[in-house]
Amino acid sequence: MEYIISVQDKEILREVAKKQLELANKESNKERIKLWYKHNALQGDRPMIHLEMWTFAQEILPQRLKCTGAFARQVETMLYCNFLNQELFDDDRVTPDYFPLNYDTNFVLFSIKINKQNATDAAGNQSVGHHFESIVEDLEDDYDKLKETTYGVDLETTELKRKAIEEAIGDILPVKLQMDCLYSVPTQMLVHFMSMENMMFAMYDYPELFKEMMGRIADDTLAYYRMLEEKRLIMPTTSFESVGQGTWSFTNELPGWDEWEKRPFTTKDVWGFMDSQETVGISPAMYEEFIFPCYKKISEQYGLLSYGCCEPVDPIWDNCISKLTNLRKVSISPWCKEEVMGEKLKGSKVIYHRKPSPNFLGVDPVLDEAAFREHIRKSLYAARGCKMEITQRDVYTIHNNIDKARRYVEIIRQEIENNWKC
């Protein structure tokens, strides 16, 4: 791709950038930024709310995008994603007063090229599912396919992007090179090249070889982190940087840009994220034996940690996840025992990061307000005594009804107002 922005596209981007800056400077946005800092410091008075948009962005963005150049459309999309939550849904996602740009880094586990096949809807447009081609079928027979892991950073393309964006909108929104949290999901990478079924058989058929492979994943991940440290690509995660799972970094507990100017950062200076959705089919004892040693070794590298996605954490909490001393947020998914985790986290330094069921917003064209209120109320009661955050994820359609999504957020706010007790 050529990182070129035409004169016509530049004018379009400038208008969108002005809109982002306008929203960033609103007093309500600035107040919510303060609330995020308090929340992540375990001093917040109420749960923070985020409706994650990217899964249904196909219903929001296409009619807004006006640029014609491929790179310009990418930039335009990123601009809109910076502020549309604030404009459309009025949740607690906040808008930065700059344009964030990440370095082009890469990490290819065991140098295996992942082959993904997509399925589309009846019209041949929207992706409705995907399948990963299994490269490793039998771990022992195919172990020689696990080559040396490769990783690196493309500084040249990163700089080309930065210059092009800065030339277009830099006088409106500064372009800021940044790093989101360090993101590591080993079992997801395994499933991408050996399938979930083969992964589970491998634990049973070749336990020692499987453990060796997991050890290699941990060591390769740490080697990648050392490369980032050496190149000074470990950068502060203390404000708008993503921590995965629909949450952000805002914290004063980790060093910021002033400190970064003085010394190279290590992974201990930043947020990290991990999950293991793919191991829901194994017992807690097997998770502890085969998976957790790798996860613990990687997670210990971080300053603060957020853990979990859709997997229920209650079965592995006592013997594994609770032992991660830098843990600050843990996912309470629709498959998690809410009340159990509420008791576990009450009065702790770990935020109860609730992910409500997406069915209320995403399945029915008409929102069942009474049922949804009951669902949210149940979570609020379960989390009493905890610090709580609510992120709505995995909604793949809002039936082109922005008002329904906005009402959805409004109902959560009302239930918090009426039923929340710290």
Side-chain angles (χ1 to χ4, degrees), residues 404-416:
K404 181 177 73 164
R406 190 177 181 91
R407 175 62 177 160
Y408 193 84
V409 173
E410 186 179 75
I411 288 172
I412 297 175
R413 288 203 188 283
Q414 290 173 354
E415 290 302 318
I416 290 172

Side-chain angles (χ1 to χ4, degrees), residues 6 40 51 54 78 81 92 138 168 185 235-236 284 307 314 320 327 361 400-401 415:
S6 70
N40 285 344
L51 171 56
W54 71 267
M78 289 187 282
C81 288
D92 290 325
D138 180 281
V185 285
M235 306 171 83
Y307 184 91
D314 52 286
C320 296
L327 185 65
L361 182 57
N400 295 289
N401 189 341
E415 290 302 318

Side-chain angles (χ1 to χ4, degrees), residues 186-187 203 210-211 214 218 274 276 279 282-300 305 307 316-325 327:
T187 54
M203 280 183 261
F210 190 91
K211 291 175 185 178
M214 293 301 293
M274 301 190 79
S276 186
T279 52
I282 66 175
S283 69
M286 288 187 73
Y287 177 90
E288 184 177 2
E289 180 181 357
F290 288 94
I291 307 300
F292 189 61
C294 168
Y295 274 64
K296 187 172 186 291
K297 187 172 185 178
I298 295 173
S299 68
E300 287 174 341
L305 170 68
Y307 184 91
I316 57 174
W317 175 257
D318 288 340
N319 289 343
C320 296
I321 308 305
S322 66
K323 301 184 184 304
L324 303 176
T325 57
L327 185 65

Side-chain angles (χ1 to χ4, degrees), residues 332 338 341-342 345 350-354 382-383 387-389:
I332 312 299
E338 294 184 78
M341 288 308 299
L345 298 180
V350 180
I351 292 169
Y352 184 109
H353 192 180
R354 176 60 174 159
K387 293 302 179 181
M388 186 186 195
E389 185 173 334

Side-chain angles (χ1 to χ4, degrees), residues 250-268:
F250 298 99
T251 183
N252 291 313
E253 295 176 55
L254 297 172
W257 287 98
D258 288 346
E259 185 67 17
W260 188 84
E261 295 291 342
K262 300 174 186 176
R263 64 173 175 88
F265 271 22
T266 73
T267 58
K268 292 283 190 180

Side-chain angles (χ1 to χ4, degrees), residues 212-226:
E212 178 183 312
M213 177 178 64
M214 293 301 293
R216 286 179 60 184
I217 293 174
D219 290 342
D220 290 352
T221 301
L222 268 56
Y224 169 62
Y225 290 166
R226 301 293 87 80

Side-chain angles (χ1 to χ4, degrees), residues 156-417:
E156 182 179 356
T157 60
T158 303
E159 182 60 13
L160 288 172
K161 290 178 185 179
R162 187 195 66 77
K163 284 184 176 179
I165 300 169
E166 194 167 69
E167 183 182 333
I169 63 170
D171 59 323
I172 302 170
L173 292 173
V175 180
K176 182 178 177 181
L177 286 167
Q178 65 161 37
M179 180 196 83
D180 288 323
C181 78
L182 294 173
Y183 193 99
S184 182
V185 285
T187 54
Q188 183 182 102
M189 291 188 287
L190 286 184
V191 167
H192 284 182
F193 69 72
M194 70 185 304
S195 82
M196 190 177 298
E197 183 178 28
N198 289 332
M199 178 185 75
M200 291 182 176
F201 275 128
M203 280 183 261
Y204 182 84
D205 292 334
Y206 312 111
E208 295 309 314
L209 198 58
F210 190 91
K211 291 175 185 178
E212 178 183 312
M213 177 178 64
M214 293 301 293
R216 286 179 60 184
I217 293 174
D219 290 342
D220 290 352
T221 301
L222 268 56
Y224 169 62
Y225 290 166
R226 301 293 87 80
M227 181 275 293
L228 294 176
E229 290 175 347
E230 289 167 8
K231 293 184 179 295
R232 290 215 71 187
L233 297 178
I234 301 291
M235 306 171 83
T237 55
T238 54
S239 58
F240 294 92
E241 301 82 19
S242 168
V243 185
Q245 299 298 307
T247 190
W248 288 275
S249 298
F250 298 99
T251 183
N252 291 313
E253 295 176 55
L254 297 172
W257 287 98
D258 288 346
E259 185 67 17
W260 188 84
E261 295 291 342
K262 300 174 186 176
R263 64 173 175 88
F265 271 22
T266 73
T267 58
K268 292 283 190 180
D269 294 313
V270 298
W271 277 91
F273 172 84
M274 301 190 79
D275 72 39
S276 186
Q277 302 177 85
E278 299 73 24
T279 52
V280 293
I282 66 175
S283 69
M286 288 187 73
Y287 177 90
E288 184 177 2
E289 180 181 357
F290 288 94
I291 307 300
F292 189 61
C294 168
Y295 274 64
K296 187 172 186 291
K297 187 172 185 178
I298 295 173
S299 68
E300 287 174 341
Q301 300 295 306
Y302 309 135
L304 290 172
L305 170 68
S306 177
Y307 184 91
C309 184
C310 290
E311 72 272 36
V313 294
D314 52 286
I316 57 174
W317 175 257
D318 288 340
N319 289 343
C320 296
I321 308 305
S322 66
K323 301 184 184 304
L324 303 176
T325 57
N326 53 356
L327 185 65
R328 179 54 53 89
K329 300 188 182 192
V330 66
S331 175
I332 312 299
S333 78
W335 294 272
C336 192
K337 293 180 180 177
E338 294 184 78
E339 291 82 5
V340 169
M341 288 308 299
E343 287 299 316
K344 301 284 188 184
L345 298 180
K346 188 179 296 182
S348 75
K349 294 183 177 181
V350 180
I351 292 169
Y352 184 109
H353 192 180
R354 176 60 174 159
K355 316 289 180 54
S357 169
N359 294 347
F360 296 96
L361 182 57
V363 174
D364 294 324
V366 178
L367 178 61
D368 185 338
E369 294 194 7
F372 180 55
R373 285 184 184 279
E374 183 178 349
H375 182 68
I376 291 299
R377 202 172 299 145
K378 180 175 182 288
S379 296
L380 293 172
Y381 290 159
R384 283 185 173 177
C386 306
K387 293 302 179 181
M388 186 186 195
E389 185 173 334
I390 299 173
T391 297
Q392 184 59 72
R393 309 192 76 227
D394 301 317
V395 174
Y396 292 91
T397 177
I398 58 171
H399 305 278
N400 295 289
N401 189 341
I402 291 173
D403 289 340
K404 181 177 73 164
R406 190 177 181 91
R407 175 62 177 160
Y408 193 84
V409 173
E410 186 179 75
I411 288 172
I412 297 175
R413 288 203 188 283
Q414 290 173 354
E415 290 302 318
I416 290 172
E417 179 68 26

